[in-house]
Amino acid sequence: MNAGNESRAAAALARDIKELCGKASFPLRIMEVCGTHTMAIHAAGLKSFFPPNLQLVSGPGCPVCVTEKNFIDQAVLIAKEYDACLVTFGDLVRVPGSFGSLATFRSEGGRVRVVYSPMDAMGIASELSPRPTVFLGIGFETTVPTIAATIKTAMTMGIDNFFVLSAFKTIHPPLKILAAKKDLNGFLLPGHVSAIIGSDCYHYLVDDFGKPGVVAGFEPLDILLAIQDILRMAVFSTPQIINDYKRVVRGNGNAAALAMTGEVFEACDASWRGLGVIRGSGLTLKGPYSMFDANTHLPVDTPPAQDDPRCRCAAVLTGSTPDTCGLFGKECIPDDPVGPCMVSSEGTCAAYYKYGER
Amino acid sequence: MARNTATKIQLGHGGGGRMSGRLIRDLILPRLDRGYLGSLPDSVVLSGLGDSIAYTTDSYVVSPIFFPGGNIGSLAVHGTCNDLACSAARPVFLSLGLILEEGFPMDQLETILHSIAEAADSAGVEIVTGDTKVVPKGSADKIFINTSGIGKIESPVRPSPGRISVGDRIIVSGSVGNHGMAVMLSRAEFSFDFELKSDSASVWPVVERLLELGPGLKFLRDPTRGGLAATLNEIASLTGYGIAIDESAIPLDKSVVAASEILGIDPLQAANEGKIVAVVEMGMDQVALDLMEGCWQARGAAVIGGVTREHPSRVVLTTRVGGSRVVAEPSGELLPRIC
């Protein structure tokens, strides 16, 4: 689609959105669950299209942001105690732990390597053998199948110095908690996660909570269309689950990826920054694959972490805006973050700050 | 700007963004500025030496040292020549300082020296003095290079931020983000197949043509570390004016867009080593584009926006779909995203 057609389409959708918001006698709050949507909305300047009674708020769909502070602490303690090399996705490097971030640890001589693909982590383990190499496992259902594939490959190749420290999470448990909130009228559902788990599985939002949800892609027009659909259902009280990302998401998801995940991982309880412990919302290595579990094979005593009492990441992850945090833009900035919502490339505070809403 | 409170140097201090800025402003300038240093130009125009001479220095620590489109050697020539060019000085002489790690392969050094010679010859500069040091294994990462450059100012035109006014137009001499993306992709950690090359080149031929605009040429900068975003923010903060740019006018190669979508790195923040940003007088933008026509270093040159009274000191982008957002100053090192 050329730029002219795209702007015209966007303008038309923006008009529909304004009209629908005009029909509502109440303020409308839509939660964008996924951090990638938060960034995409800001990058395309979509908020400049919305009328004042429409608010888009962010949810807990940022894997870095919902990871507890003591995960960083545990990783650093493992690296120190076992002389291990930590391998991580880039975003985790600047998240503050209790004694500094992974970047701080690296500047003090700690071994920290950044990768884009978990397969590269396994390559690093081979290269550094026999030194323990620990992959810091954060991510949702999108990332997990690739980790599962990596672990299976490590098993086949007999790489015995490769470990995974799992903080993997699944999206449905927190979504059920958020759906009960009275002040949310609908959900912009994650595109990448849904590519794995499908769109049919969100029916509980309608059946149990009467709220609409739309699976959306990441192009500006994808998002505007999805918002228009959510608003129509919210304003006329006709909640449904709609898949607006059919070019990537099928109703029943990606069976191969789900099977891979199911073979290597099983559900466990997990602690979410902002939401506390949610039963069955985490993933842990199971059966023969538990030989790669850093938690059991590289145990350390991690003292409980103290979050800065002024830090409001917890609230931001459940729908508050960054400006409600007294640290936002002052003591907490991208170069010197207090909480992970400011560091992560999908973090709400990072998006607001980067795109000038300070 | 928040003060530098770090007790140790972090990688972000070398990133060319806000952390670097704080290090320079809080630690370096207070101790060393005796008049010339404080304005932090790309290269400094020296007075009291007869002809107008511009002088600059840069150190090169790029990793990997060989990347698509060049290597640390060719970069060391182009980068320093370009700093001179942005002060409207024709690059004439370079010094070459080499710091080599013990064990560095001789054949790689030969390749790099060959690239240096080629780059210097085609840029019309002569390397007139140099130095070589070798440090024990582990004390340097293969090879570090420093080049200082001397350029001759032949035109009465003196581009500077003080000459920029509301209504001036902003031109970029070609597609952006190529160098930064090419280097990120060719690091060992990422194994993608991409046809993406650094744009490393001397920009003097482009500047030479733009100088024919006379006083209509207000300001020049090469958008290296921190990319176009850093340069536009620098202009906004030096002048106090707003900068308004149009996303669909910014030239971007398809391969850069693809790489940025996968890596999560904004091409506006990725370094360029063969481009310039020029601010020209209102009404002269087409003349500027015509002057650059036929110059291969400026193919793809485009007008991307202008200087405005609105949103002072801020850079605002109109997005492809007609929305608007701020282009913030980049901070620290680029990192790939996770999910």
Side-chain angles (χ1 to χ4, degrees):
Chain A
M1 185 182 286
N2 71 35
N5 286 342
E6 213 179 351
S7 328
R8 274 191 289 277
L13 285 165
R15 275 194 300 274
D16 286 347
I17 286 170
K18 274 199 175 69
E19 205 182 299
L20 284 164
C21 288
K23 290 188 160 62
S25 53
F26 43 90
L28 291 149
R29 277 163 61 97
I30 297 176
M31 176 169 276
E32 76 229 7
V33 177
C34 161
T36 315
H37 274 140
T38 308
M39 275 294 171
I41 286 166
H42 278 90
L46 297 184
K47 290 201 170 181
S48 59
F49 288 133
F50 301 154
N53 69 325
L54 171 60
Q55 206 185 1
L56 249 63
V57 295
S58 304
C62 161
V64 169
C65 306
V66 298
T67 300
E68 294 278 32
K69 195 180 211 174
N70 62 9
F71 182 75
I72 303 289
D73 299 342
Q74 187 183 5
V76 172
L77 285 170
I78 288 176
K80 285 181 174 165
E81 184 141 337
Y82 298 96
D83 210 16
C85 177
L86 301 176
V87 184
T88 175
F89 292 136
D91 252 10
L92 215 47
V93 171
R94 293 191 313 122
V95 173
S98 303
F99 312 105
S101 63
L102 295 176
T104 323
F105 179 55
R106 180 170 58 187
S107 69
E108 289 164 359
R111 288 182 183 79
V112 179
R113 300 264 295 256
V114 171
V115 292
Y116 182 75
S117 152
M119 284 292 188
D120 294 336
M122 202 185 64
I124 291 171
S126 290
E127 178 198 319
L128 297 179
S129 175
R131 182 189 302 283
T133 302
V134 182
F135 180 71
L136 303 186
I138 56 169
F140 288 106
E141 289 96 330
T142 327
T143 320
V144 172
T146 57
I147 314 293
T150 304
I151 288 170
K152 288 186 61 160
T153 310
M155 177 156 269
T156 313
M157 293 176 59
I159 300 178
D160 60 2
N161 64 318
F162 177 64
F163 298 93
V164 174
L165 187 65
S166 170
F168 296 118
K169 306 223 171 18
T170 55
I171 201 69
H172 291 308
L175 209 42
K176 287 177 180 155
I177 294 174
L178 291 165
K181 278 163 70 90
K182 289 190 173 29
D183 60 349
L184 288 175
N185 305 104
F187 292 88
L188 191 68
L189 296 169
H192 294 146
V193 165
S194 303
I196 303 297
I197 64 178
S199 56
D200 295 342
C201 53
Y202 295 104
H203 60 86
Y204 56 86
L205 291 174
V206 175
D207 301 342
D208 300 341
F209 301 100
K211 303 251 165 95
V214 178
V215 176
F218 300 93
E219 291 297 310
L221 291 182
D222 287 328
I223 296 171
L224 288 174
L225 178 66
I227 290 174
Q228 184 217 50
D229 280 340
I230 296 170
L231 287 172
R232 196 186 58 247
M233 292 188 280
V235 169
F236 296 116
S237 296
T238 52
Q240 279 183 275
I241 302 300
I242 293 180
N243 178 6
D244 272 345
Y245 198 21
K246 289 198 177 69
R247 64 188 188 272
V248 171
V249 176
R250 290 193 293 263
N252 57 2
N254 182 321
L258 289 168
M260 180 88 75
T261 302
E263 186 189 336
V264 175
F265 290 98
E266 61 189 0
C268 64
D269 295 344
S271 180
W272 293 61
R273 185 188 281 259
L275 293 163
V277 174
I278 304 182
R279 295 184 64 92
S281 64
L283 290 171
T284 187
L285 293 166
K286 80 180 195 192
Y289 302 104
S290 56
M291 65 180 268
F292 298 104
D293 190 341
N295 244 321
T296 32
H297 296 282
L298 304 171
V300 285
D301 249 313
T302 318
Q306 297 296 331
D307 282 322
D308 189 318
R310 303 166 301 166
C311 169
R312 300 210 65 219
C313 279
V316 169
L317 286 164
T318 49
S320 294
T321 47
D323 57 351
T324 59
C325 175
L327 301 176
F328 175 74
K330 305 188 191 81
E331 282 107 322
C332 188
I333 52 174
D335 288 348
D336 197 8
V338 176
C341 296
M342 183 58 85
V343 179
S344 169
S345 68
E346 319 254 281
T348 307
C349 297
Y352 276 64
Y353 192 89
K354 179 178 178 182
Y355 294 109
E357 291 186 55
R358 337 184 164 163
Chain B
M1 182 187 279
R3 291 196 58 78
N4 175 50
T5 53
T7 54
K8 289 191 181 164
I9 291 292
Q10 294 196 14
L11 286 178
H13 286 119
R18 299 166 66 92
M19 282 174 79
S20 301
R22 283 207 292 267
L23 187 71
I24 293 170
R25 279 168 181 80
D26 296 346
L27 233 69
I28 298 177
L29 286 183
R31 286 174 178 78
L32 297 180
D33 184 15
R34 301 288 183 273
Y36 277 112
L37 207 51
S39 55
L40 300 174
D42 279 336
S43 55
V44 63
V45 178
L46 300 172
S47 56
L49 292 176
D51 287 341
S52 269
I53 305 282
Y55 180 42
T56 187
T57 188
D58 239 319
S59 298
Y60 298 87
V61 297
V62 64
S63 173
I65 55 176
F66 293 97
F67 46 84
N71 58 53
I72 190 173
S74 50
L75 194 60
V77 172
H78 295 144
T80 297
C81 287
N82 293 347
D83 277 349
L84 292 168
C86 288
S87 294
R90 173 189 298 277
V92 184
F93 297 123
L94 289 186
S95 73
L96 178 69
L98 302 174
I99 298 177
L100 302 166
E101 184 187 19
E102 178 190 9
F104 184 61
M106 205 64 83
D107 61 338
Q108 287 187 23
L109 179 59
E110 280 186 39
T111 306
I112 289 168
L113 290 171
H114 178 75
S115 297
I116 291 173
E118 239 183 11
D121 289 342
S122 88
V125 296
E126 187 176 342
I127 294 166
V128 296
T129 184
D131 180 65
T132 308
K133 295 285 189 298
V134 178
V135 292
K137 192 153 185 55
S139 300
D141 184 12
K142 303 189 187 69
I143 174 172
F144 296 147
I145 299 182
N146 171 275
T147 47
S148 291
I150 290 180
K152 188 154 182 277
I153 294 181
E154 294 159 345
S155 155
V157 179
R158 292 282 185 276
S160 91
R163 302 193 43 238
I164 295 175
S165 20
V166 171
D168 286 348
R169 307 295 288 152
I170 299 176
I171 292 175
V172 71
S173 63
S175 60
V176 296
N178 295 52
H179 177 82
M181 289 296 183
V183 169
M184 287 302 285
L185 288 175
S186 56
R187 286 190 185 158
E189 274 116 69
F190 307 123
S191 48
F192 290 104
D193 285 335
F194 269 96
E195 276 181 16
L196 186 46
K197 297 195 323 181
S198 166
D199 63 341
S200 177
S202 166
V203 299
W204 172 249
V206 183
V207 172
E208 195 174 21
R209 286 162 197 243
L210 286 175
L211 286 169
E212 291 180 41
L213 290 169
L217 178 64
K218 305 290 195 79
F219 181 77
L220 287 168
R221 185 68 105 216
D222 57 339
T224 53
R225 288 172 310 168
L228 186 61
T231 297
L232 294 176
N233 272 283
E234 194 181 359
I235 296 172
S237 101
L238 286 172
T239 59
Y241 293 133
I243 304 280
I245 52 172
D246 182 1
E247 184 174 42
S248 43
I250 300 174
L252 283 170
D253 287 344
K254 281 204 178 82
S255 49
V256 169
V257 175
S260 80
E261 281 176 14
I262 292 176
L263 294 174
I265 297 170
D266 184 352
L268 299 189
Q269 298 194 2
N272 304 275
E273 295 290 342
K275 300 290 179 324
I276 42 148
V277 172
V279 182
V280 307
E281 181 149 327
M282 172 163 58
M284 298 191 82
D285 37 355
Q286 191 52 52
V287 179
L289 291 176
D290 291 340
L291 284 169
M292 289 189 284
E293 184 85 44
C295 183
W296 72 261
Q297 293 93 334
R299 65 177 182 283
V303 181
I304 62 169
V307 181
T308 169
R309 236 179 263 292
E310 317 266 314
H311 45 81
S313 300
R314 293 257 198 125
V315 181
V316 174
L317 176 87
T318 301
T319 66
R320 220 170 66 223
V321 291
S324 73
R325 66 164 176 91
V326 167
V327 178
E329 189 183 350
S331 74
E333 63 177 297
L334 298 177
L335 290 171
R337 70 174 185 137
I338 56 132
C339 102

